Amino acid sequence: MNDSAAKEPVINGSLALDNISIVLINTTHPGNIGAAARAMKAMGLSRLVLVGPADFPSGHATALASGADDILASARVVDTLDEALAGCQFVVGTSARVRGVSLELVEPKACANQILDEAEQAQVALVFGREDRGMTNEELRRCHLQVHIPTNPDFSSLNLGAAVQVMAYELRMTQLARLGGVELPKTKQMEHASQEDMERFYQHLYETLVQIGFLEHSSHEKIMAKLRRMYGRIRPDRVELSILRGILSETGKFAKDSSEPSKETL
């Protein structure tokens, strides 16, 4: 067998996220598990591992998952962190505080790059600690890397679901960049109103302003010139122009009805 055949195939970048497990240690509030599942599914992650959760399965978790029920249903529940990390070749620990552990400390974006590098050919675990005290030093010693989310130093408390969301977002954005960048949804582009339609609008606008008496004490030419400049900057599309014409028509009708004597006075 030649060397190229012996090498493990490199997983395509679009599949690298499938090799990443989100591990939650001793989660107390089931709602946080649901929020984490929601964050994961929204960003393309699917593997959730729960180490000794206090309450799971739970209706609160399902409610906060907001439709990410499949993530909860497939979640692996284990008793120890060692079980959760079995089969993983690269482990990243998260911590709001810098601990006395000799680990390389990185911010989320740099961490996402390293995780995806590893996930292209190996199993990776991204570990989150308890809501009240995070990960212990002993747990961090099982990690190859520590990620720190740079929160406000005067208020560093970050909800567990929010922390998962931050890391899941960075992983997805890094993945998309490697696949060619972010492609935003196409918005429907309306055709700009033609010059002929704009001229009819300006005439309609002028007639309405005269009808309601707006131009009685002003220079017609100066006011209309300013209005032309304003609508020229806006460049309304055909639908927007139709709305404006409709407003002018209703304004004209109201002005006409107001100026006519009521039948009760005749």
Side-chain angles (χ1 to χ4, degrees), residues 24 40 190:
L24 308 183
M40 289 171 60
M190 299 299 296

Side-chain angles (χ1 to χ4, degrees), residues 175-190:
Q175 178 214 38
L176 291 175
R178 293 183 177 195
L179 295 176
V182 178
E183 184 174 347
L184 296 176
K186 300 295 183 183
T187 58
K188 186 177 181 180
Q189 298 294 322
M190 299 299 296

Side-chain angles (χ1 to χ4, degrees), residues 11-251:
I11 296 172
N12 184 280
S14 64
L15 302 178
L17 293 182
D18 294 337
N19 271 355
I20 302 171
S21 294
I22 300 298
V23 179
L24 308 183
I25 302 176
N26 299 149
T27 309
T28 302
H29 305 292
N32 286 331
I33 296 175
R38 179 180 183 178
M40 289 171 60
K41 185 163 185 176
M43 297 295 117
L45 295 163
S46 60
R47 302 176 64 174
L48 176 62
V49 183
L50 305 174
V51 180
D55 184 10
F56 186 82
S58 166
H60 291 298
T62 302
L64 269 293
S66 298
D69 297 6
D70 54 329
I71 304 294
L72 297 179
S74 63
R76 187 160 61 94
V77 181
V78 297
D79 294 326
T80 66
L81 181 59
D82 286 338
E83 292 178 81
L85 301 182
C88 292
Q89 288 84 36
F90 189 67
V91 182
V92 177
T94 61
S95 178
R97 297 179 295 277
V98 178
R99 302 298 188 97
V101 180
S102 299
L103 275 180
E104 181 185 357
L105 187 66
V106 295
E107 48 82 24
K109 190 179 294 296
C111 181
N113 267 300
Q114 292 193 51
I115 288 177
L116 285 174
D117 285 344
E118 296 286 341
E120 287 179 354
Q121 53 191 344
Q123 298 296 315
V124 177
L126 177 56
V127 186
F128 295 82
R130 302 152 190 82
E131 293 100 330
D132 59 344
R133 54 193 175 91
M135 297 178 66
T136 66
N137 285 353
E138 183 180 350
E139 289 164 347
L140 282 171
R141 290 190 185 99
R142 287 172 165 77
C143 303
H144 300 93
L145 188 69
Q146 181 181 349
V147 59
H148 175 73
I149 299 173
T151 53
N152 178 0
D154 296 326
F155 189 77
S156 61
S157 176
L158 194 62
N159 176 267
L160 176 60
V164 174
Q165 181 70 80
V166 169
M167 292 306 304
Y169 172 80
E170 291 294 355
L171 285 166
R172 182 161 186 81
M173 292 303 292
T174 302
Q175 178 214 38
L176 291 175
R178 293 183 177 195
L179 295 176
V182 178
E183 184 174 347
L184 296 176
K186 300 295 183 183
T187 58
K188 186 177 181 180
Q189 298 294 322
M190 299 299 296
E191 182 182 350
H192 286 298
S194 67
Q195 191 60 32
E196 294 85 351
D197 287 338
M198 289 304 300
E199 288 303 320
R200 284 189 282 269
F201 165 71
Y202 291 134
Q203 182 61 35
H204 192 175
L205 177 60
Y206 175 76
E207 292 171 356
T208 303
L209 293 178
V210 170
Q211 185 179 8
I212 64 176
F214 184 81
L215 299 177
E216 286 183 0
H217 305 291
S218 305
S219 168
H220 294 205
E221 290 185 1
K222 287 183 179 180
I223 292 295
M224 289 307 300
K226 290 182 180 295
L227 289 172
R228 278 177 172 270
R229 281 203 302 272
M230 181 181 71
Y231 285 109
R233 289 196 303 271
I234 297 172
R235 295 187 69 196
D237 61 40
R238 297 176 65 181
V239 174
E240 292 168 340
L241 193 64
S242 178
I243 293 172
L244 290 171
R245 293 291 299 271
I247 293 172
L248 293 177
S249 296
E250 291 302 316
T251 302

